[in-house]
Amino acid sequence: MKVLITGATSGIGWQLAHDYLDEGHDVIAVGRKRQALAVLKDKGAKVLALDLTDRQATLDGLAGLGPLNLAILNAGTCEYLDMPDFDSAAFIRVMRANVESMAISIEGVLPCLIGCEGARLVGVASAAAYLPLPRAEAYGASKAAIRYLFDTLDITLARQGVAVSTVFPGFVKTPLTDKNDFAMPMQLSAQDAARYIRRGIDKGQRHIHFPKAFTWTLQLLGLLPQGLWRRLAKRMIKA
Ligand SMILES: NC(=O)c1ccc[n+]([C@@H]2O[C@H](COP(=O)([O-])OP(=O)(O)OC[C@H]3O[C@@H](n4cnc5c(N)ncnc54)[C@H](OP(=O)(O)O)[C@@H]3O)[C@@H](O)[C@H]2O)c1
């Protein structure tokens, strides 16, 4: 199988790239950190050093990759906002890294997926997409956008024979979460996260979410009457 992974230089994507390589698949690893890309290249991956927010460079880099069976669009970032300082620069950075780069990546990989046996497009969102969480004005909005985008592509790409999955991880220990200064319940290792994602892909799941105890809880909270969730969420804000 030929699999492209964005955000392959760190965390969840790094683990996915190693796991697919270990199983003998052809891996195309995308990221910016050249040192990490060099390690993946030594292990047998084809590597692409790309800033995915740079539309032209990304489309040029992805052009001519040839047929792809699987594209896992995982690159992303997280910044939290602290009210009442609405930092629109941070908001724009997050939307650019998570949403714009996703749109550009989709444009780049779709021609490689269409017509391929068992083609699947996978987008990594977050459990933060399930409901409004304090400080996640930017991150949660970006992941909710990805959720909508991939749920729609799941419908609109069906005729092209491209299956679509969205991934909703809970907390995973990676450089992204190592910056967090708050408790992260039920945090998983990147190895476990990659295992869940690969299993979900193998099963052809549309929504891949884990750990279930955490993601089901958030989904249930999301079903509460809005007023009830607002009251609970307000208590989570530090005084
Ligand atoms: N960790 C969690 O708890 C968690 C939970 C839910 C969802 N997620 C999502 O899972 C995905 C992976 O997160 P992670 O925890 O593994 O984070 P991470 O260790 O910080 O890795 C992020 C990856 O994204 C790449 N990236 C970011 N901006 C990029 C850009 N402009 N161009 C190219 N590559 C870019 C980075 O590559 P370079 O640094 O080489 O550019 C890196 O490989 C993200 O979408 C994140 O939102 C994570």
PDB file of all heavy atoms in Angstrom, residues 7-13 31-33 50-53 74-77 97 124-126 139 143 169-172 174-177, ligand 1:
ATOM      1  N   GLY A   7       2.413  15.826   8.683  1.00  0.00           N
ATOM      2  CA  GLY A   7       2.725  15.919  10.115  1.00  0.00           C
ATOM      3  C   GLY A   7       3.486  14.679  10.568  1.00  0.00           C
ATOM      4  O   GLY A   7       3.367  14.245  11.718  1.00  0.00           O
ATOM      5  N   ALA A   8       4.310  14.134   9.665  1.00  0.00           N
ATOM      6  CA  ALA A   8       5.003  12.867   9.952  1.00  0.00           C
ATOM      7  C   ALA A   8       6.278  13.070  10.761  1.00  0.00           C
ATOM      8  O   ALA A   8       6.932  12.099  11.126  1.00  0.00           O
ATOM      9  CB  ALA A   8       5.329  12.153   8.640  1.00  0.00           C
ATOM     10  N   THR A   9       6.636  14.325  11.040  1.00  0.00           N
ATOM     11  CA  THR A   9       7.922  14.578  11.699  1.00  0.00           C
ATOM     12  C   THR A   9       7.827  14.579  13.213  1.00  0.00           C
ATOM     13  O   THR A   9       8.836  14.794  13.893  1.00  0.00           O
ATOM     14  CB  THR A   9       8.477  15.939  11.240  1.00  0.00           C
ATOM     15  OG1 THR A   9       7.446  16.925  11.428  1.00  0.00           O
ATOM     16  CG2 THR A   9       8.902  15.909   9.781  1.00  0.00           C
ATOM     17  N   SER A  10       6.643  14.359  13.756  1.00  0.00           N
ATOM     18  CA  SER A  10       6.489  14.478  15.214  1.00  0.00           C
ATOM     19  C   SER A  10       5.221  13.759  15.672  1.00  0.00           C
ATOM     20  O   SER A  10       4.293  13.557  14.876  1.00  0.00           O
ATOM     21  CB  SER A  10       6.400  15.980  15.551  1.00  0.00           C
ATOM     22  OG  SER A  10       6.118  16.175  16.907  1.00  0.00           O
ATOM     23  N   GLY A  11       5.212  13.374  16.933  1.00  0.00           N
ATOM     24  CA  GLY A  11       3.985  12.915  17.587  1.00  0.00           C
ATOM     25  C   GLY A  11       3.261  11.773  16.887  1.00  0.00           C
ATOM     26  O   GLY A  11       3.845  10.743  16.549  1.00  0.00           O
ATOM     27  N   ILE A  12       1.971  11.966  16.671  1.00  0.00           N
ATOM     28  CA  ILE A  12       1.109  10.905  16.115  1.00  0.00           C
ATOM     29  C   ILE A  12       1.543  10.531  14.693  1.00  0.00           C
ATOM     30  O   ILE A  12       1.635   9.352  14.336  1.00  0.00           O
ATOM     31  CB  ILE A  12      -0.372  11.375  16.125  1.00  0.00           C
ATOM     32  CG1 ILE A  12      -0.837  11.636  17.572  1.00  0.00           C
ATOM     33  CG2 ILE A  12      -1.267  10.362  15.443  1.00  0.00           C
ATOM     34  CD1 ILE A  12      -2.199  12.332  17.676  1.00  0.00           C
ATOM     35  N   GLY A  13       1.838  11.530  13.877  1.00  0.00           N
ATOM     36  CA  GLY A  13       2.230  11.271  12.488  1.00  0.00           C
ATOM     37  C   GLY A  13       3.557  10.525  12.402  1.00  0.00           C
ATOM     38  O   GLY A  13       3.739   9.645  11.543  1.00  0.00           O
ATOM     39  N   GLY A  31       6.524  16.975   6.146  1.00  0.00           N
ATOM     40  CA  GLY A  31       6.707  17.819   7.327  1.00  0.00           C
ATOM     41  C   GLY A  31       7.705  18.917   7.002  1.00  0.00           C
ATOM     42  O   GLY A  31       8.145  19.044   5.850  1.00  0.00           O
ATOM     43  N   ARG A  32       8.066  19.676   8.024  1.00  0.00           N
ATOM     44  CA  ARG A  32       9.053  20.738   7.795  1.00  0.00           C
ATOM     45  C   ARG A  32      10.399  20.414   8.429  1.00  0.00           C
ATOM     46  O   ARG A  32      11.439  20.798   7.911  1.00  0.00           O
ATOM     47  CB  ARG A  32       8.540  22.082   8.368  1.00  0.00           C
ATOM     48  CG  ARG A  32       7.402  22.699   7.578  1.00  0.00           C
ATOM     49  CD  ARG A  32       6.811  23.897   8.272  1.00  0.00           C
ATOM     50  NE  ARG A  32       6.327  23.554   9.608  1.00  0.00           N
ATOM     51  CZ  ARG A  32       5.650  24.376  10.407  1.00  0.00           C
ATOM     52  NH1 ARG A  32       5.401  25.614  10.015  1.00  0.00           N
ATOM     53  NH2 ARG A  32       5.237  23.977  11.590  1.00  0.00           N
ATOM     54  N   LYS A  33      10.401  19.720   9.576  1.00  0.00           N
ATOM     55  CA  LYS A  33      11.662  19.480  10.310  1.00  0.00           C
ATOM     56  C   LYS A  33      12.560  18.529   9.519  1.00  0.00           C
ATOM     57  O   LYS A  33      12.283  17.335   9.415  1.00  0.00           O
ATOM     58  CB  LYS A  33      11.364  18.883  11.688  1.00  0.00           C
ATOM     59  CG  LYS A  33      10.838  19.900  12.680  1.00  0.00           C
ATOM     60  CD  LYS A  33      10.869  19.391  14.108  1.00  0.00           C
ATOM     61  CE  LYS A  33       9.741  18.495  14.481  1.00  0.00           C
ATOM     62  NZ  LYS A  33       8.407  19.076  14.564  1.00  0.00           N
ATOM     63  N   LEU A  50       7.767  20.278   3.272  1.00  0.00           N
ATOM     64  CA  LEU A  50       6.788  21.265   2.795  1.00  0.00           C
ATOM     65  C   LEU A  50       6.177  22.022   3.958  1.00  0.00           C
ATOM     66  O   LEU A  50       5.835  21.416   4.983  1.00  0.00           O
ATOM     67  CB  LEU A  50       5.643  20.552   2.057  1.00  0.00           C
ATOM     68  CG  LEU A  50       5.938  19.885   0.725  1.00  0.00           C
ATOM     69  CD1 LEU A  50       4.705  19.100   0.266  1.00  0.00           C
ATOM     70  CD2 LEU A  50       6.326  20.919  -0.324  1.00  0.00           C
ATOM     71  N   ASP A  51       6.027  23.335   3.790  1.00  0.00           N
ATOM     72  CA  ASP A  51       5.158  24.094   4.685  1.00  0.00           C
ATOM     73  C   ASP A  51       3.780  24.045   4.030  1.00  0.00           C
ATOM     74  O   ASP A  51       3.562  24.655   2.980  1.00  0.00           O
ATOM     75  CB  ASP A  51       5.655  25.539   4.813  1.00  0.00           C
ATOM     76  CG  ASP A  51       4.754  26.354   5.717  1.00  0.00           C
ATOM     77  OD1 ASP A  51       3.593  25.924   5.970  1.00  0.00           O
ATOM     78  OD2 ASP A  51       5.183  27.424   6.158  1.00  0.00           O
ATOM     79  N   LEU A  52       2.870  23.317   4.646  1.00  0.00           N
ATOM     80  CA  LEU A  52       1.571  23.054   4.014  1.00  0.00           C
ATOM     81  C   LEU A  52       0.690  24.292   3.926  1.00  0.00           C
ATOM     82  O   LEU A  52      -0.367  24.244   3.288  1.00  0.00           O
ATOM     83  CB  LEU A  52       0.846  21.937   4.766  1.00  0.00           C
ATOM     84  CG  LEU A  52       1.552  20.573   4.730  1.00  0.00           C
ATOM     85  CD1 LEU A  52       0.896  19.606   5.715  1.00  0.00           C
ATOM     86  CD2 LEU A  52       1.544  19.984   3.326  1.00  0.00           C
ATOM     87  N   THR A  53       1.106  25.385   4.555  1.00  0.00           N
ATOM     88  CA  THR A  53       0.332  26.620   4.404  1.00  0.00           C
ATOM     89  C   THR A  53       0.742  27.357   3.127  1.00  0.00           C
ATOM     90  O   THR A  53       0.106  28.336   2.741  1.00  0.00           O
ATOM     91  CB  THR A  53       0.508  27.566   5.613  1.00  0.00           C
ATOM     92  OG1 THR A  53       1.875  27.948   5.698  1.00  0.00           O
ATOM     93  CG2 THR A  53       0.078  26.898   6.905  1.00  0.00           C
ATOM     94  N   ASN A  74      -2.741  14.874   8.791  1.00  0.00           N
ATOM     95  CA  ASN A  74      -2.632  14.891  10.248  1.00  0.00           C
ATOM     96  C   ASN A  74      -1.945  16.152  10.760  1.00  0.00           C
ATOM     97  O   ASN A  74      -2.065  16.483  11.942  1.00  0.00           O
ATOM     98  CB  ASN A  74      -1.858  13.620  10.645  1.00  0.00           C
ATOM     99  CG  ASN A  74      -1.173  13.711  11.969  1.00  0.00           C
ATOM    100  OD1 ASN A  74      -1.806  13.565  13.004  1.00  0.00           O
ATOM    101  ND2 ASN A  74       0.137  13.966  11.953  1.00  0.00           N
ATOM    102  N   ALA A  75      -1.260  16.895   9.896  1.00  0.00           N
ATOM    103  CA  ALA A  75      -0.492  18.066  10.363  1.00  0.00           C
ATOM    104  C   ALA A  75      -1.400  19.050  11.079  1.00  0.00           C
ATOM    105  O   ALA A  75      -2.541  19.265  10.666  1.00  0.00           O
ATOM    106  CB  ALA A  75       0.180  18.750   9.174  1.00  0.00           C
ATOM    107  N   GLY A  76      -0.892  19.630  12.143  1.00  0.00           N
ATOM    108  CA  GLY A  76      -1.700  20.618  12.841  1.00  0.00           C
ATOM    109  C   GLY A  76      -0.965  21.222  14.012  1.00  0.00           C
ATOM    110  O   GLY A  76       0.141  20.788  14.372  1.00  0.00           O
ATOM    111  N   THR A  77      -1.595  22.209  14.595  1.00  0.00           N
ATOM    112  CA  THR A  77      -1.014  22.893  15.738  1.00  0.00           C
ATOM    113  C   THR A  77      -2.112  23.233  16.734  1.00  0.00           C
ATOM    114  O   THR A  77      -3.290  23.056  16.447  1.00  0.00           O
ATOM    115  CB  THR A  77      -0.267  24.166  15.283  1.00  0.00           C
ATOM    116  OG1 THR A  77       0.533  24.642  16.353  1.00  0.00           O
ATOM    117  CG2 THR A  77      -1.238  25.276  14.870  1.00  0.00           C
ATOM    118  N   ALA A  97      -2.755  26.877  10.015  1.00  0.00           N
ATOM    119  CA  ALA A  97      -2.033  25.601  10.146  1.00  0.00           C
ATOM    120  C   ALA A  97      -2.978  24.404  10.089  1.00  0.00           C
ATOM    121  O   ALA A  97      -2.605  23.350   9.576  1.00  0.00           O
ATOM    122  CB  ALA A  97      -1.244  25.580  11.449  1.00  0.00           C
ATOM    123  N   VAL A 124      -7.339  14.332  10.355  1.00  0.00           N
ATOM    124  CA  VAL A 124      -7.255  14.287  11.819  1.00  0.00           C
ATOM    125  C   VAL A 124      -7.872  15.566  12.389  1.00  0.00           C
ATOM    126  O   VAL A 124      -7.362  16.668  12.175  1.00  0.00           O
ATOM    127  CB  VAL A 124      -5.808  14.094  12.296  1.00  0.00           C
ATOM    128  CG1 VAL A 124      -5.748  14.114  13.825  1.00  0.00           C
ATOM    129  CG2 VAL A 124      -5.249  12.766  11.768  1.00  0.00           C
ATOM    130  N   ALA A 125      -9.008  15.383  13.056  1.00  0.00           N
ATOM    131  CA  ALA A 125      -9.669  16.494  13.759  1.00  0.00           C
ATOM    132  C   ALA A 125      -9.257  16.399  15.220  1.00  0.00           C
ATOM    133  O   ALA A 125      -8.074  16.259  15.540  1.00  0.00           O
ATOM    134  CB  ALA A 125     -11.177  16.391  13.571  1.00  0.00           C
ATOM    135  N   SER A 126     -10.220  16.413  16.138  1.00  0.00           N
ATOM    136  CA  SER A 126      -9.923  16.300  17.576  1.00  0.00           C
ATOM    137  C   SER A 126     -11.254  16.129  18.303  1.00  0.00           C
ATOM    138  O   SER A 126     -12.301  16.578  17.819  1.00  0.00           O
ATOM    139  CB  SER A 126      -9.257  17.584  18.068  1.00  0.00           C
ATOM    140  OG  SER A 126      -9.306  17.648  19.477  1.00  0.00           O
ATOM    141  N   TYR A 139      -8.584  26.580  18.414  1.00  0.00           N
ATOM    142  CA  TYR A 139      -8.317  25.154  18.122  1.00  0.00           C
ATOM    143  C   TYR A 139      -9.624  24.397  17.859  1.00  0.00           C
ATOM    144  O   TYR A 139      -9.746  23.669  16.869  1.00  0.00           O
ATOM    145  CB  TYR A 139      -7.558  24.540  19.292  1.00  0.00           C
ATOM    146  CG  TYR A 139      -7.142  23.102  19.054  1.00  0.00           C
ATOM    147  CD1 TYR A 139      -6.148  22.796  18.122  1.00  0.00           C
ATOM    148  CD2 TYR A 139      -7.734  22.053  19.747  1.00  0.00           C
ATOM    149  CE1 TYR A 139      -5.760  21.483  17.896  1.00  0.00           C
ATOM    150  CE2 TYR A 139      -7.349  20.737  19.526  1.00  0.00           C
ATOM    151  CZ  TYR A 139      -6.367  20.455  18.600  1.00  0.00           C
ATOM    152  OH  TYR A 139      -5.985  19.151  18.374  1.00  0.00           O
ATOM    153  N   LYS A 143     -10.959  22.535  14.412  1.00  0.00           N
ATOM    154  CA  LYS A 143     -11.246  21.104  14.339  1.00  0.00           C
ATOM    155  C   LYS A 143     -12.716  20.852  13.977  1.00  0.00           C
ATOM    156  O   LYS A 143     -13.040  19.860  13.333  1.00  0.00           O
ATOM    157  CB  LYS A 143     -10.868  20.425  15.658  1.00  0.00           C
ATOM    158  CG  LYS A 143      -9.356  20.460  15.923  1.00  0.00           C
ATOM    159  CD  LYS A 143      -8.569  19.787  14.813  1.00  0.00           C
ATOM    160  CE  LYS A 143      -7.083  19.712  15.085  1.00  0.00           C
ATOM    161  NZ  LYS A 143      -6.331  19.001  14.048  1.00  0.00           N
ATOM    162  N   PRO A 169      -9.075  12.251  18.126  1.00  0.00           N
ATOM    163  CA  PRO A 169      -8.324  11.771  19.291  1.00  0.00           C
ATOM    164  C   PRO A 169      -8.690  12.566  20.540  1.00  0.00           C
ATOM    165  O   PRO A 169      -9.011  13.761  20.468  1.00  0.00           O
ATOM    166  CB  PRO A 169      -6.857  12.050  18.926  1.00  0.00           C
ATOM    167  CG  PRO A 169      -6.859  12.455  17.474  1.00  0.00           C
ATOM    168  CD  PRO A 169      -8.224  13.014  17.202  1.00  0.00           C
ATOM    169  N   GLY A 170      -8.636  11.864  21.684  1.00  0.00           N
ATOM    170  CA  GLY A 170      -8.610  12.576  22.963  1.00  0.00           C
ATOM    171  C   GLY A 170      -7.183  13.059  23.180  1.00  0.00           C
ATOM    172  O   GLY A 170      -6.456  13.313  22.223  1.00  0.00           O
ATOM    173  N   PHE A 171      -6.754  13.161  24.451  1.00  0.00           N
ATOM    174  CA  PHE A 171      -5.393  13.648  24.699  1.00  0.00           C
ATOM    175  C   PHE A 171      -4.360  12.561  24.386  1.00  0.00           C
ATOM    176  O   PHE A 171      -4.513  11.414  24.807  1.00  0.00           O
ATOM    177  CB  PHE A 171      -5.231  14.077  26.155  1.00  0.00           C
ATOM    178  CG  PHE A 171      -5.979  15.339  26.491  1.00  0.00           C
ATOM    179  CD1 PHE A 171      -7.080  15.314  27.335  1.00  0.00           C
ATOM    180  CD2 PHE A 171      -5.579  16.559  25.948  1.00  0.00           C
ATOM    181  CE1 PHE A 171      -7.775  16.483  27.641  1.00  0.00           C
ATOM    182  CE2 PHE A 171      -6.265  17.732  26.241  1.00  0.00           C
ATOM    183  CZ  PHE A 171      -7.367  17.694  27.092  1.00  0.00           C
ATOM    184  N   VAL A 172      -3.315  12.965  23.655  1.00  0.00           N
ATOM    185  CA  VAL A 172      -2.215  12.055  23.304  1.00  0.00           C
ATOM    186  C   VAL A 172      -0.907  12.745  23.685  1.00  0.00           C
ATOM    187  O   VAL A 172      -0.741  13.943  23.443  1.00  0.00           O
ATOM    188  CB  VAL A 172      -2.220  11.757  21.777  1.00  0.00           C
ATOM    189  CG1 VAL A 172      -1.107  10.784  21.426  1.00  0.00           C
ATOM    190  CG2 VAL A 172      -3.576  11.223  21.328  1.00  0.00           C
ATOM    191  N   THR A 174       2.340  14.064  23.126  1.00  0.00           N
ATOM    192  CA  THR A 174       3.188  14.460  21.988  1.00  0.00           C
ATOM    193  C   THR A 174       3.763  15.843  22.321  1.00  0.00           C
ATOM    194  O   THR A 174       3.345  16.477  23.303  1.00  0.00           O
ATOM    195  CB  THR A 174       2.350  14.606  20.693  1.00  0.00           C
ATOM    196  OG1 THR A 174       1.482  15.742  20.849  1.00  0.00           O
ATOM    197  CG2 THR A 174       1.539  13.370  20.370  1.00  0.00           C
ATOM    198  N   PRO A 175       4.700  16.350  21.502  1.00  0.00           N
ATOM    199  CA  PRO A 175       5.198  17.721  21.749  1.00  0.00           C
ATOM    200  C   PRO A 175       4.064  18.756  21.778  1.00  0.00           C
ATOM    201  O   PRO A 175       4.175  19.767  22.466  1.00  0.00           O
ATOM    202  CB  PRO A 175       6.141  17.952  20.566  1.00  0.00           C
ATOM    203  CG  PRO A 175       6.641  16.574  20.234  1.00  0.00           C
ATOM    204  CD  PRO A 175       5.467  15.657  20.445  1.00  0.00           C
ATOM    205  N   LEU A 176       2.968  18.481  21.066  1.00  0.00           N
ATOM    206  CA  LEU A 176       1.846  19.427  21.050  1.00  0.00           C
ATOM    207  C   LEU A 176       1.204  19.555  22.437  1.00  0.00           C
ATOM    208  O   LEU A 176       0.901  20.663  22.891  1.00  0.00           O
ATOM    209  CB  LEU A 176       0.826  18.973  20.003  1.00  0.00           C
ATOM    210  CG  LEU A 176      -0.420  19.821  19.770  1.00  0.00           C
ATOM    211  CD1 LEU A 176      -0.742  19.885  18.274  1.00  0.00           C
ATOM    212  CD2 LEU A 176      -1.624  19.250  20.499  1.00  0.00           C
ATOM    213  N   THR A 177       1.015  18.424  23.118  1.00  0.00           N
ATOM    214  CA  THR A 177       0.366  18.467  24.441  1.00  0.00           C
ATOM    215  C   THR A 177       1.370  18.659  25.573  1.00  0.00           C
ATOM    216  O   THR A 177       0.974  19.019  26.680  1.00  0.00           O
ATOM    217  CB  THR A 177      -0.446  17.178  24.709  1.00  0.00           C
ATOM    218  OG1 THR A 177       0.359  16.057  24.369  1.00  0.00           O
ATOM    219  CG2 THR A 177      -1.722  17.141  23.922  1.00  0.00           C
TER     220      THR A 177
HETATM  221  N1  LIG B   1      -1.769  15.300  20.835  1.00  0.00           N
HETATM  222  C1  LIG B   1      -3.075  15.358  21.107  1.00  0.00           C
HETATM  223  O1  LIG B   1      -3.519  15.229  22.272  1.00  0.00           O
HETATM  224  C2  LIG B   1      -4.065  15.569  19.988  1.00  0.00           C
HETATM  225  C3  LIG B   1      -5.429  15.466  20.302  1.00  0.00           C
HETATM  226  C4  LIG B   1      -6.364  15.664  19.296  1.00  0.00           C
HETATM  227  C5  LIG B   1      -5.960  15.946  18.006  1.00  0.00           C
HETATM  228  N2  LIG B   1      -4.625  16.044  17.728  1.00  0.00           N
HETATM  229  C6  LIG B   1      -4.237  16.375  16.353  1.00  0.00           C
HETATM  230  O2  LIG B   1      -3.345  15.396  15.861  1.00  0.00           O
HETATM  231  C7  LIG B   1      -2.482  15.989  14.887  1.00  0.00           C
HETATM  232  C8  LIG B   1      -1.038  15.665  15.244  1.00  0.00           C
HETATM  233  O3  LIG B   1      -0.773  16.246  16.510  1.00  0.00           O
HETATM  234  P1  LIG B   1       0.470  15.832  17.412  1.00  0.00           P
HETATM  235  O4  LIG B   1      -0.028  15.831  18.796  1.00  0.00           O
HETATM  236  O5  LIG B   1       1.160  14.667  16.865  1.00  0.00           O
HETATM  237  O6  LIG B   1       1.346  17.168  17.256  1.00  0.00           O
HETATM  238  P2  LIG B   1       2.905  17.436  17.018  1.00  0.00           P
HETATM  239  O7  LIG B   1       3.727  16.397  17.668  1.00  0.00           O
HETATM  240  O8  LIG B   1       3.117  18.863  17.361  1.00  0.00           O
HETATM  241  O9  LIG B   1       3.038  17.254  15.428  1.00  0.00           O
HETATM  242  C9  LIG B   1       2.455  18.172  14.550  1.00  0.00           C
HETATM  243  C10 LIG B   1       2.916  17.842  13.146  1.00  0.00           C
HETATM  244  O10 LIG B   1       2.288  18.755  12.238  1.00  0.00           O
HETATM  245  C11 LIG B   1       3.270  19.298  11.370  1.00  0.00           C
HETATM  246  N3  LIG B   1       2.929  20.650  10.946  1.00  0.00           N
HETATM  247  C12 LIG B   1       2.378  21.634  11.688  1.00  0.00           C
HETATM  248  N4  LIG B   1       2.256  22.755  10.951  1.00  0.00           N
HETATM  249  C13 LIG B   1       2.735  22.440   9.705  1.00  0.00           C
HETATM  250  C14 LIG B   1       2.884  23.173   8.511  1.00  0.00           C
HETATM  251  N5  LIG B   1       2.518  24.461   8.401  1.00  0.00           N
HETATM  252  N6  LIG B   1       3.412  22.540   7.442  1.00  0.00           N
HETATM  253  C15 LIG B   1       3.784  21.249   7.521  1.00  0.00           C
HETATM  254  N7  LIG B   1       3.674  20.519   8.621  1.00  0.00           N
HETATM  255  C16 LIG B   1       3.160  21.103   9.703  1.00  0.00           C
HETATM  256  C17 LIG B   1       4.547  19.286  12.196  1.00  0.00           C
HETATM  257  O11 LIG B   1       5.642  19.240  11.308  1.00  0.00           O
HETATM  258  P3  LIG B   1       6.931  20.221  11.392  1.00  0.00           P
HETATM  259  O12 LIG B   1       7.087  20.629  12.807  1.00  0.00           O
HETATM  260  O13 LIG B   1       8.024  19.404  10.819  1.00  0.00           O
HETATM  261  O14 LIG B   1       6.515  21.329  10.523  1.00  0.00           O
HETATM  262  C18 LIG B   1       4.412  17.990  12.980  1.00  0.00           C
HETATM  263  O15 LIG B   1       4.893  16.907  12.211  1.00  0.00           O
HETATM  264  C19 LIG B   1      -2.787  17.489  14.905  1.00  0.00           C
HETATM  265  O16 LIG B   1      -3.677  17.788  13.840  1.00  0.00           O
HETATM  266  C20 LIG B   1      -3.482  17.687  16.237  1.00  0.00           C
HETATM  267  O17 LIG B   1      -4.350  18.788  16.251  1.00  0.00           O
HETATM  268  C21 LIG B   1      -3.673  15.869  18.683  1.00  0.00           C
END
